[in-house]
Amino acid sequence: MTDVDTSPSKNESVQDCVCIKWCKACAYAARWSKEVELLAEEMIRVLAFLEWQGCWWHQRTMLRSSEKTTE
């Protein structure tokens, strides 16, 4: 026979510890799920900004080339 404490108080203590660990794990999962959502939105905005900036630079080169032809 092994020396395992199966008293109700010990069992409740273990169950409380498991419940705490489970709650922490759920909180971590929720936090990381939200982080993934935020990163996806951030990447959409970054791509939109870079597209805008590319167009802006292209317009500037067109202005510079039109300035050179008028000189």
Side-chain angles (χ1 to χ4, degrees):
M1 193 89 125
T2 60
D3 293 330
V4 177
D5 186 4
T6 57
S7 64
S9 64
K10 182 69 173 175
N11 203 12
E12 287 174 11
S13 175
V14 169
Q15 201 150 18
D16 287 345
C17 289
V18 169
C19 183
I20 291 168
K21 291 279 189 185
W22 184 85
C23 289
K24 285 182 179 180
C26 283
Y28 288 138
R31 185 181 320 147
W32 284 109
S33 294
K34 185 64 175 175
E35 189 69 25
V36 169
E37 284 179 40
L38 291 173
L39 278 172
E41 178 64 28
E42 185 178 358
M43 288 309 302
I44 290 169
R45 291 173 186 251
V46 165
L47 292 173
F49 170 75
L50 292 175
E51 183 70 29
W52 170 84
Q53 193 174 37
C55 291
W56 182 81
W57 277 110
H58 183 68
Q59 289 172 351
R60 288 189 50 103
T61 59
M62 299 303 260
L63 289 174
R64 292 284 293 201
S65 62
S66 68
E67 286 175 3
K68 288 182 181 179
T69 56
T70 58
E71 289 178 356

